[in-house]
């Protein structure tokens, strides 16, 4: 399906990124594997080559332009071109607002949001040079789509990535570049810190299957997410762009584009008392409920 194509996957040393890289290689793509940890990046490449695929490692932390440009240069230098960029890398800090330091915020936003920006920009510049289109596959999160307790920086970054995806999809449609964001849910090391999930992650890592009720709810393994990445990287997905696609376990779903849920007009404009009456009355029963119960922060 991907014979002759070349992909970059950031954060591909473990978890979801490793599954993406292996699946892309198994489908025929040559893969540039990026990770901050040299050992795990090399392990991913070793798995790819042992299975008959092609892969090389580039070690470094995403965020700055230097690494983003280096990833594209390595893809072109090693394999002659670039067709797919998967922006998976990013750090996580579990902190409520009052406990989030400047350094916590900067680390998460730099790795997720700025890393997606610089890698996406570097890839698009190469796609324009080649003149044959391309695929940007950005990685969002349910935390960026709705409230996620204790995830100020992560939620902000992932929500911004989906917004950026929509803009890039419009900007690059005329040159044949599709831009989509996957919204994966999987049992990985990253979610093991969340209440109630650590033990389950350990059991699945030990080889136990994910319980069927959880799979039906959209929670599975990283390998359950990878087929969507392969499809979005392929020529067959040329008509799919500007979408936020949830994937996990047995489930694939589309997130809506943001839209207004209620509207009221008042000829001549609004006064403060009229605004107060509006929000106290029936027309604003269209309020969307908070997705989580309020907790003390």
């Amino acid at each position: 399906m991907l014979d002759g194509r070349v992909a970059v996957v950031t954060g591909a040393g473990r978890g979801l990124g490793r599954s993406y890289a292996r699946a892309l290689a198994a489908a025929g793509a040559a893969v540039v594997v990026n990770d901050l940890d040299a050992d795990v990046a090399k392990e991913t490449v070793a798995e790819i080559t042992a299975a008959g695929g092609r892969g090389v490692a580039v070690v470094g932390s995403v965020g700055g332009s230097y690494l983003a440009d280096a990833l594209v240069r390595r893809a072109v230098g090693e394999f002659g071109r670039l067709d797919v960029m998967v922006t998976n890398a990013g750090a996580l800090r579990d902190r409520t607002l009052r406990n989030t330091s400047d350094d916590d915020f900067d680390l998460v936003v730099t790795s997720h949001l700025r890393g997606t920006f610089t890698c996406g920009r570097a890839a698009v510049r190469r796609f324009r040079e080649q003149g044959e289109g391309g695929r940007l596959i950005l990685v969002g999160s349910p935390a960026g789509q709705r409230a996620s307790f204790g995830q100020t920086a992560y939620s902000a970054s992932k929500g911004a990535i989906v917004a950026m995806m929509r803009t890039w999809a419009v900007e690059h449609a005329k040159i044949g570049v599709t831009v989509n964001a996957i919204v994966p849910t999987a049992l990985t090391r990253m979610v093991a810190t969340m209440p109630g999930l650590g033990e389950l992650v350990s059991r699945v890592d030990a080889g136990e299957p994910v319980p069927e009720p959880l799979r039906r709810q959209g929670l599975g393994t990283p390998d359950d997410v990878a087929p969507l990445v392969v499809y979005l990287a392929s020529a067959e997905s040329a008509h799919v762009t500007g979408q936020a696609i949830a994937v996990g376990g047995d489930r694939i779903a589309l997130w809506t584009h943001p839209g207004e849920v209620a509207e009221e007009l008042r000829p001549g404009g609004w006064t403060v008392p009229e605004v107060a009456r509006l929000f106290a009355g029936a027309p604003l029963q269209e309020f969307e409920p908070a997705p989580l119960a309020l907790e003390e922060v």
Side-chain angles (χ1 to χ4, degrees):
M1 179 179 250
L2 301 179
D3 289 346
R5 294 199 165 213
V6 179
V8 171
V9 183
T10 67
R14 295 184 177 92
L16 285 162
R18 177 175 283 191
S19 288
Y20 304 158
R22 291 187 306 193
L24 289 164
V31 184
V32 176
V33 172
N34 160 255
D35 203 276
L36 178 61
D37 186 325
D39 291 338
V40 297
K42 291 174 183 176
E43 287 174 8
T44 300
V45 171
E47 290 184 9
I48 287 171
T49 55
R54 296 179 297 158
V56 294
V58 174
V59 178
S61 179
V62 299
S65 298
Y66 178 82
L67 182 67
D69 294 339
L71 291 170
V72 174
R73 283 197 304 271
R74 187 66 186 278
V76 175
E78 196 78 29
F79 303 116
R81 59 185 296 109
L82 177 69
D83 301 283
V84 182
M85 173 66 75
V86 184
T87 59
N88 173 72
L92 184 66
R93 291 292 182 271
D94 295 320
R95 305 280 193 275
T96 57
L97 176 58
R98 68 179 177 182
N99 295 317
T100 301
S101 69
D102 290 0
D103 288 344
D104 291 334
F105 188 86
D106 289 347
L107 172 65
V108 175
V109 172
T110 296
S111 61
H112 286 283
L113 182 56
R114 194 163 191 267
T116 297
F117 163 68
T118 56
C119 289
R121 182 179 61 186
V124 163
R125 286 172 174 168
R126 180 61 194 178
F127 296 159
R128 285 185 178 277
E129 290 177 17
Q130 292 174 177
E132 301 172 28
R135 300 286 183 268
L136 290 181
I137 303 171
L138 314 186
V139 180
S141 168
Q145 302 294 102
R146 56 178 180 245
S148 184
F149 189 88
Q151 296 294 339
T152 292
Y154 182 70
S155 294
S157 299
K158 289 303 191 181
I161 285 169
V162 172
M164 200 158 57
M165 172 274 293
R166 294 189 175 108
T167 295
W168 289 356
V170 172
E171 288 181 351
H172 300 98
K174 64 183 179 183
I175 61 170
V177 174
T178 66
V179 191
N180 294 285
I182 63 171
V183 183
T185 48
L187 293 166
T188 67
R189 188 182 66 158
M190 181 174 279
V191 303
T193 61
M194 296 179 182
L197 290 181
E199 182 181 347
L200 182 58
V201 170
S202 297
R203 294 205 309 267
V204 172
D205 282 347
E208 291 186 27
V210 179
E212 285 302 317
L214 291 181
R215 290 190 58 83
R216 288 193 295 272
Q217 293 172 26
L219 190 59
T221 69
D223 288 342
D224 292 317
V225 178
L228 175 61
V229 174
V230 172
Y231 170 73
L232 292 175
S234 72
E236 286 83 349
S237 67
H239 63 294
V240 181
T241 194
Q243 302 303 311
I245 308 172
V247 56
D250 298 335
R251 183 173 178 271
I252 288 179
L254 288 178
W255 283 92
T256 62
H257 295 285
E260 297 173 337
V261 296
E263 177 188 81
E264 288 292 322
L265 299 175
R266 186 173 187 274
W270 292 90
T271 64
V272 174
E274 288 297 335
V275 172
R277 278 193 287 273
L278 175 68
F279 277 80
L284 266 290
Q285 297 305 313
E286 296 287 347
F287 273 149
E288 294 186 312
L292 293 177
L294 293 177
E295 300 182 46
E296 183 182 348
V297 296

